Amino acid sequence: MLHPLPLRTTHQQTQLQIPLNNPLSNQFNFKQNYRNISNLLLSLTRSRTLPKGLQVHAHIIKTRFQAILLISHHLINFYSKTQLPFDSQRVFEETQVKSSTTWSSVISCFAQNEIPCVAVEFFHRMLGFGVRPNDHIFPSALKASGMLSWREFERSVHCLALKTGFDGDVFVGSSMVDMYAKCGEIRDARTVFDGMPDEEALRLFKQALWEGLDVNDFTFSSVIRACGNSTLLELGKQIHGSCLKTSYDSSSFVGSSLVSLYSKCGVIEGAYQVFEEIPERNLGLWNAMLIACAQHAHIEKAFDLFKQMESVCMKPNFITFLCVLYACSHAGLVEKGKHYFELMKVYGIEPGDQHYASMVDLLGRAGRLQDAVSIINGMPIKPTESVWGALLTGCQIHKDTELAVYAADRVFELGQVSSGMHVLLANAYAAAGRYEDAAKARKMLRDRGVKKETGLSWVEQGNCVHTFTARDRHHAISGEIYMKLKELGEEMERAGYVADTSFVLQEVGSDEKNQAIRYHSERLAIAFGLITFPPERPI
């Protein structure tokens, strides 16, 4: 039973006094009473004060305010927070017109009160009425799904979020991560997290810390990986410190992310230190250290790590061989690359398209283009875009335009290809002086509605990320940056440096080509770092 609001209140109840004017007889009184009731319900919901809330509800019924959608929404939330979910349901059923907010309130109510079956039931009812879920409804449905571990339902909700475009929302995305993690599907949770924009993932992590939620090695590993992708060294070091305090620094999963972070940020010594301090190393950590060595041209160290893996009976996988082939390619070690490529068969690993692409890249960079073609012709699988792309790169380096055109023809036979592939073709034509063909390659991009993303370079300073594009003059200290680049350019020329302008696409004079290279986004970012960073800090 709901108790009516007494006309006379005690001294303790004076805060509940609400004007009893008929709200429908006077527009001003109506608005004033409406605001008073809304604010009072919100206050009572926060304080979880049930008896006074019941009195306010009685007053709402008598004054016919329950017909207002927002009042019904506040009432549903009030009973939800006071752990009376079925009273919330009664309010919901009595609400004649139900908006998406009303549905969101009742679904959230049952999910928050750990009655997931009813939450799912109302979610289905809502869809049946043609109401589309939003960024408030999806998290509640996903929370209920996580409690039930109904794989079929969780997949269907995930698919619905994808179809409606809410998968990119940070709250929906975080709910998906939580749902998959609670159901023990860590791989799916990681996939969703890694698919979120880095800044959203970092914001989610910050929110979790602010709310005092438990974080584990999975959480730390994911957010450190996000820092690595954006080369946010200082933030990554702070999170590393948190890992040390919570003893998660000994986790192989956290360790592999830290190795990747320090490697991408140019601090290879930090990567080595993390690797050495992990007591039990899984394959992911070994692979992370291998690729770090390859990226920093520590080739002999990479080979030594591979031998160490064999000595501790850590069986390499297809990623391990990609790492060592990458190292061989960038060091020009053709015979060593062939050795590791053949060694894959000893371990029972069938080479994939990426391994063939690495071999083609290795041979192409070494100038052995016909050997690279022989590798492609001997592939037991159909060559992919990455394989032909590796050959195009070799042709570009060694200015073999004829072979580049042959490779390009094979690429276009594949159908839709990436924008980067079109740019690679345009570069090859431009290097040979065939500017009309280069323009055609770029036109194909426009005709297909594909736009090449603007090249960006960025550096982190304190809590700020400074981003640059080619010939960018928007930065606050752009004058100093360009002055620094001029000084560096003059010093490089005195040392004998000659710019390679063969890959500049436009048919322009040599001075303009030099300008295009001189003010590349990477150069602007480096100049900024040289001006603002202390001497001991890597850029």
Side-chain angles (χ1 to χ4, degrees):
M1 286 287 294
L2 293 178
H3 304 286
L5 184 69
L7 295 179
R8 294 181 180 273
T9 59
T10 64
H11 175 71
Q12 293 177 333
Q13 294 174 319
T14 53
Q15 61 176 328
L16 287 178
Q17 289 180 357
I18 303 170
L20 294 178
N21 309 71
N22 186 340
L24 301 179
S25 64
N26 184 287
Q27 188 66 23
F28 174 79
N29 287 338
F30 173 81
K31 289 183 178 179
Q32 190 62 45
N33 285 350
Y34 164 67
R35 291 195 189 97
N36 288 342
I37 290 172
S38 294
N39 292 335
L40 188 53
L41 270 177
L42 288 171
S43 175
L44 295 173
T45 300
R46 284 192 291 268
S47 62
R48 312 292 199 270
T49 310
L50 179 59
K52 295 176 182 178
L54 292 172
Q55 294 175 28
V56 174
H57 189 176
H59 178 73
I60 288 169
I61 293 172
K62 286 162 57 173
T63 53
R64 290 176 284 173
F65 269 108
Q66 195 164 335
I68 300 173
L69 282 176
L70 190 58
I71 295 293
S72 294
H73 163 72
H74 289 326
L75 280 171
I76 293 170
N77 283 344
F78 168 73
Y79 285 119
S80 173
K81 296 298 184 185
T82 51
Q83 299 181 331
L84 294 171
F86 292 102
D87 285 348
S88 290
Q89 182 182 356
R90 184 176 63 173
V91 173
F92 174 83
E93 301 294 357
E94 292 172 353
T95 304
Q96 294 181 352
V97 180
K98 299 174 176 64
S99 67
S100 60
T101 302
T102 319
W103 285 102
S104 172
S105 300
V106 74
I107 294 170
S108 173
C109 166
F110 286 109
Q112 296 296 334
N113 282 278
E114 299 186 356
I115 311 176
C117 290
V118 181
V120 171
E121 177 190 337
F122 272 86
F123 184 75
H124 282 302
R125 280 180 59 185
M126 180 197 71
L127 295 177
F129 278 99
V131 178
R132 293 184 62 180
N134 55 29
D135 57 341
H136 295 288
I137 295 172
F138 271 119
S140 298
L142 291 164
K143 179 181 177 67
S145 179
M147 286 188 277
L148 292 168
S149 296
W150 287 354
R151 292 192 176 186
E152 188 174 334
F153 179 70
E154 65 190 35
R155 302 284 182 194
S156 64
V157 176
H158 188 170
C159 288
L160 185 58
L162 288 167
K163 289 178 181 178
T164 53
F166 281 103
D167 58 303
D169 181 89
V170 64
F171 300 107
V172 176
S174 63
S175 298
M176 283 184 194
V177 172
D178 185 62
M179 174 190 71
Y180 282 126
K182 285 179 178 176
C183 295
E185 300 178 38
I186 301 301
R187 186 184 297 274
D188 289 329
R190 181 59 177 265
T191 300
V192 174
F193 189 94
D194 288 344
M196 298 171 67
D198 290 334
E199 61 270 20
E200 298 293 353
L202 294 170
R203 188 178 299 126
L204 172 60
F205 177 73
K206 183 178 179 181
Q207 179 185 341
L209 294 180
W210 181 261
E211 294 179 2
L213 301 179
D214 290 333
V215 292
N216 53 25
D217 55 345
F218 164 77
T219 315
F220 278 121
S221 174
S222 300
V223 76
I224 291 168
R225 191 172 297 275
C227 290
N229 291 339
S230 299
T231 58
L232 300 176
L233 177 60
E234 293 305 315
L235 179 58
K237 287 167 71 175
Q238 292 177 33
I239 298 171
H240 188 181
S242 297
C243 293
L244 290 166
K245 292 177 183 177
T246 53
S247 299
Y248 281 118
D249 60 305
S250 59
S251 163
S252 287
F253 299 105
V254 173
S256 61
S257 295
L258 284 169
V259 167
S260 179
L261 164 74
Y262 286 119
S263 172
K264 289 179 178 179
C265 294
V267 190
I268 187 64
E269 297 79 8
Y272 282 133
Q273 183 176 344
V274 169
F275 180 79
E276 295 297 335
E277 291 176 353
I278 302 293
E280 295 183 13
R281 301 165 187 161
N282 63 9
L283 184 56
L285 180 57
W286 284 98
N287 287 341
M289 196 65 242
L290 271 171
I291 194 65
C293 291
Q295 288 171 337
H296 287 268
H298 292 199
I299 309 303
E300 290 304 320
K301 180 63 176 178
F303 298 150
D304 182 54
L305 282 172
F306 190 90
K307 289 179 183 178
Q308 288 183 45
M309 288 180 65
E310 292 180 313
S311 68
V312 297
C313 300
M314 178 64 69
K315 185 179 178 181
N317 65 0
F318 73 100
I319 296 175
T320 312
F321 282 101
L322 278 176
C323 295
V324 291
L325 287 174
Y326 179 85
C328 294
S329 177
H330 284 261
L333 302 175
V334 174
E335 296 307 316
K336 200 81 170 177
K338 287 181 176 179
H339 164 72
Y340 284 110
F341 189 77
E342 294 298 324
L343 191 61
M344 292 179 66
K345 298 174 184 176
V346 176
Y347 282 97
I349 300 172
E350 191 66 31
D353 65 298
Q354 291 175 296
H355 299 98
Y356 282 105
S358 293
M359 285 301 298
V360 171
D361 184 65
L362 168 60
L363 292 166
R365 288 177 183 274
R368 296 169 59 170
L369 295 173
Q370 291 305 317
D371 288 343
V373 173
S374 297
I375 287 281
I376 295 173
N377 292 335
M379 287 176 62
I381 57 178
K382 187 177 180 179
T384 61
E385 177 184 330
S386 60
V387 174
W388 291 117
L391 181 60
L392 269 173
T393 300
C395 294
Q396 180 175 294
I397 292 171
H398 298 283
K399 298 180 174 56
D400 191 333
T401 309
E402 184 178 347
L403 185 56
V405 171
Y406 167 80
D409 290 340
R410 304 291 80 76
V411 168
F412 290 128
E413 290 174 1
L414 298 176
Q416 292 287 348
V417 294
S418 67
S419 60
M421 183 58 69
H422 286 280
V423 173
L424 196 58
L425 176 59
N427 285 346
Y429 282 133
R434 295 172 57 176
Y435 298 105
E436 288 186 10
D437 290 327
K440 288 178 183 178
R442 296 196 299 274
K443 184 176 182 297
M444 290 182 72
L445 277 178
R446 295 193 295 271
D447 292 344
R448 293 183 180 182
V450 179
K451 185 177 180 181
K452 182 182 179 294
E453 291 186 14
T454 303
L456 296 175
S457 299
W458 63 88
V459 290
E460 179 192 16
Q461 182 195 38
N463 294 322
C464 183
V465 176
H466 298 259
T467 306
F468 301 89
T469 59
R471 305 188 187 188
D472 192 344
R473 290 187 179 271
H474 293 93
H475 197 277
I477 61 167
S478 61
E480 295 177 55
I481 292 171
Y482 275 77
M483 183 64 70
K484 186 67 174 179
L485 280 179
K486 183 180 179 181
E487 293 174 7
L488 289 171
E490 291 172 353
E491 187 176 344
M492 290 162 64
E493 288 174 4
R494 286 195 297 270
Y497 168 76
V498 178
D500 181 2
T501 62
S502 60
F503 301 140
V504 179
L505 299 184
Q506 292 84 4
E507 188 177 6
V508 295
S510 58
D511 287 344
E512 292 177 79
K513 288 185 177 182
N514 276 312
Q515 290 287 317
I517 291 176
R518 180 171 295 176
Y519 303 123
H520 189 281
S521 62
E522 286 185 9
R523 292 195 174 200
L524 295 173
I526 291 171
F528 171 80
L530 290 171
I531 293 170
T532 58
F533 289 3
E536 68 276 4
R537 181 183 164 180
I539 300 174

